[in-house]
Amino acid sequence: MNAHIARFALLLAAGLTLGAGALAQSHPEDAERLLQMANHTRAAQGLKTLAWDPALARAAYDHCQRMAAAGPISHQYAGEAELSERASHAGAHFGLIEENVAVGASAERIHTAWMHSQGHRENLLNPRIDRVGIAVIEVRGAIYAAADYSEGVLLLSREEAEAAIASLLSARGYQLIDQLEDARAACEHDQARPLLKGERPGVIFRWEDACLKHLPVELAKYLDSGSYQRAAVGNCPADGAGGPFTVYRIAVLLYPPAQTPRI
């Protein structure tokens, strides 16, 4: 399962007065500035642009409010859900999620500091992430920032998930056959040979992942072996439902070439 959380916090203390309990003011223009600087930096490294994710932005804003109220920054306060849970609760769907937080004098100084800190830099320049939500709140001259980065995941129906994998198999020259009931049964049961009603497959391959754009390397070895030409695909709920991560469980059944009837 591609499920990962990374967190990094940064305090830029020089010349700041941290005003816990003071009136907090949202700064969406600084959030936009941090997004622009992040994408400019990523473009210079040949990385894809981060798309704005409103759900991640809601999660970042809620956490930024807590930081501004507390004074000392943290990735999780007493009584607060962890990063993946609060992002999921805000409506985000992801297979990987990361967070940078900081307090500093300006958005520009925070971005510069992130880029000179290994952990923050790795989060911001992670080639896997493609979405971000950023919040900035000011309290008495101190700028609190939270940036939640993720590898976004499309929320697919059962049929859509099966069609995505079927398309990848078809692109490899495999014939998709009508064994949907058996493929779903194989997905739902972990035993090597569940009770199947149709033709017996030569291989039953199961896996869980957030991304359905690529087939597992181990499955590709079977596909390239030359022993199989036909396939069936089934989707079922992931073990543990993936927690706050969006995860798909897939089963692929592989069959040898169809027998040509003798005349």
Side-chain angles (χ1 to χ4, degrees):
M1 179 192 304
N2 289 335
H4 175 71
I5 304 175
R7 308 177 179 91
F8 286 95
L10 189 64
L11 173 64
L12 310 178
L16 296 182
T17 301
L18 303 185
L23 181 64
Q25 181 179 0
S26 176
H27 278 236
E29 68 281 3
D30 281 329
E32 176 64 26
R33 181 68 181 139
L34 283 171
L35 173 63
Q36 292 172 352
M37 290 186 287
N39 278 331
H40 178 78
T41 303
R42 286 176 63 86
Q45 298 292 322
L47 299 171
K48 57 192 171 187
T49 298
L50 299 178
W52 185 262
D53 188 311
L56 290 178
R58 285 193 294 272
Y61 182 75
D62 289 345
H63 184 68
C64 206
Q65 283 186 307
R66 285 180 177 263
M67 290 197 301
I73 60 175
S74 174
H75 287 286
Q76 186 176 9
Y77 295 97
E80 182 185 28
E82 68 168 359
L83 170 61
S84 62
E85 292 176 355
R86 61 181 185 254
S88 177
H89 181 73
H93 299 281
F94 48 87
L96 174 151
I97 190 162
E98 306 173 337
E99 181 178 65
N100 284 350
V101 299
V103 57
S106 68
E108 286 75 14
R109 288 189 62 184
I110 286 173
H111 176 77
T112 299
W114 280 347
M115 294 309 299
H116 286 85
S117 167
Q118 181 178 352
H120 298 85
R121 179 184 177 90
E122 289 177 354
N123 276 354
L124 196 150
L125 297 181
N126 187 338
R128 286 182 55 187
I129 63 171
D130 53 19
R131 300 182 186 182
V132 66
I134 305 172
V136 176
I137 291 177
E138 179 185 0
V139 175
R140 292 183 181 171
I143 300 294
Y144 290 82
D148 291 351
Y149 313 98
S150 79
E151 178 185 36
V153 176
L154 293 176
L155 191 59
L156 302 177
S157 68
R158 189 176 200 179
E159 293 75 15
E160 289 171 334
E162 291 163 347
I165 298 301
S167 177
L168 296 176
L169 292 168
S170 294
R172 284 178 170 264
Y174 271 73
Q175 175 190 356
L176 277 298
I177 64 174
D178 186 15
Q179 297 286 353
L180 179 59
E181 185 176 353
D182 278 357
R184 288 180 173 178
C187 183
E188 294 168 357
H189 300 88
D190 287 328
Q191 60 264 39
R193 285 289 184 272
L195 184 61
L196 303 180
K197 298 180 180 180
E199 179 183 351
R200 292 290 169 176
V203 170
I204 297 176
F205 191 94
R206 308 175 184 87
W207 78 97
E208 294 184 7
D209 204 340
C211 178
L212 300 184
K213 296 180 181 179
H214 308 283
L215 297 172
V217 174
E218 296 82 358
L219 174 58
K221 293 177 182 178
Y222 289 109
L223 298 175
D224 296 338
S225 68
S227 299
Y228 311 99
Q229 291 184 356
R230 299 174 297 146
V233 181
N235 168 241
C236 61
D239 290 343
F245 293 86
T246 299
V247 178
Y248 298 97
R249 180 173 170 85
I250 302 291
V252 168
L253 282 54
L254 299 180
Y255 302 85
Q259 296 295 323
T260 303
R262 295 182 179 180
I263 300 177

